[in-house]
Amino acid sequence: APAAPLAFYFGTAHGGVWKTVDAGLTWRNVSDGYFNVAPVGALAVSRSNPQVVYVGTGEGIPRQHISPGDGVYKSTDGGATWTNVGLAETRHISDLLIHPRNPDIAYVAAKGDMFGPNEERGVYRTRDGGRTWEKVLYRNDLAGATDLTMDPTNPNVIIAALNYHVRYPWDEVGGGPASGLYKTTDGGNTWTELTGNPGLPEGPVGKIGVDISPARPSRVYAIVEAAEGGIYRSDNGGATWTRGADERSQRFFPASYQHIVADTEDPDVVYVLHQAFWKSTDGGMTFTTRRLGHSDHHALWIDPSDSRRMINGNDGGAQVTLNGGASWSGLSNQPTADLFNLAI
């Protein structure tokens, strides 16, 4: 927020929510004592009222060692206290959006049960601050929502990505029925599928990362899992698409990655998060890697008003930059290890 330019939050895979007020120099946990679960899959801060924060629990990346959550938590006092506001059976939440002018309106991308069918998945909307929720996009009981992006100039325009995915003890099934991109222009009341539009790869498609460019909302970036996958760009809101970079190292192991983030001030700058931190300055046609303090990148937030302010989430924790990535805060001050096994 402009009033607190050094304040940032991050949600951890197994360690709750943390907050810094000095741009990453120090961090403190703000969810202990309020959350019943540790894993966080998504977090969003209201632009119109930065005291309002929504958190979706349950890891949103479909791995074999995955921890579920118990729905959405909300704070109205900048993370000092929290209340669970429902959607417990979604189990894994991949993304959250808050309306830029009304913090009572929010959207949740629910992945659902990672290991079997359940109907509590898809895109949910609240218009009363979390008191009630309605499921506004749903295709079947194995297709969960993995990504959401909103046009900041017209918040009724939202693009969602669904992915048909289930893990069995002996196998993993990803892609297929209902996987794809869906767009609404009326705030979620009705949706149109974009997946078959000209320029996008032929199906089946799997996990897709998508982002509308805040700098030019007619431009949409996507990273698509498919036989002819890669980076795709639309300059007309998703009606037609052009294929950009085809870096295999940007899109292997899509279950853990498929994150693409558009710069908030330059429409030709876009980031892809994978084992490396990739940046393009030519609209997704070519990319170079940038060095941070750790590999395996899973989240990036860019300030809508000043794209030099960013926070990156990777397997080492969270890092803050105030100078567009020239330097980043350290990782040694966050006791947030993601523990896979424990032997006694």
Side-chain angles (χ1 to χ4, degrees), residues 183-272:
K183 181 178 181 179
T184 178
T185 58
D186 55 17
N189 295 327
T190 59
W191 298 80
T192 301
E193 186 171 0
L194 305 180
T195 319
N197 287 3
L200 285 174
E202 293 186 3
V205 299
K207 189 176 180 183
I208 302 175
V210 61
D211 205 19
I212 294 171
S213 168
R216 185 185 296 163
S218 60
R219 175 167 290 183
V220 185
Y221 289 100
I223 180 168
V224 182
E225 178 192 5
E228 296 296 323
I231 307 300
Y232 286 81
R233 186 184 77 215
S234 173
D235 285 298
N236 51 18
T240 60
W241 298 79
T242 301
R243 192 181 189 191
D246 178 21
E247 296 273 0
R248 287 283 176 174
S249 54
Q250 288 182 341
R251 57 188 182 90
F252 73 91
F253 202 6
S256 280
Y257 301 102
Q258 297 299 94
H259 310 296
I260 193 165
V261 182
D263 188 82
T264 55
E265 294 185 289
D266 187 336
D268 289 327
V269 173
V270 63
Y271 298 87
V272 168

Side-chain angles (χ1 to χ4, degrees), residues 19 32 39 44 55 66-67 80 93 101 105 109 111 138 193 218 229 231 237 277 286-287 318:
K19 183 178 182 179
D32 282 359
V55 171
I66 201 79
S67 296
I93 292 175
R101 296 186 294 274
I105 300 176
K111 188 73 184 70
Y138 173 81
E193 186 171 0
S218 60
I231 307 300
F277 185 79
T286 62
F287 285 83

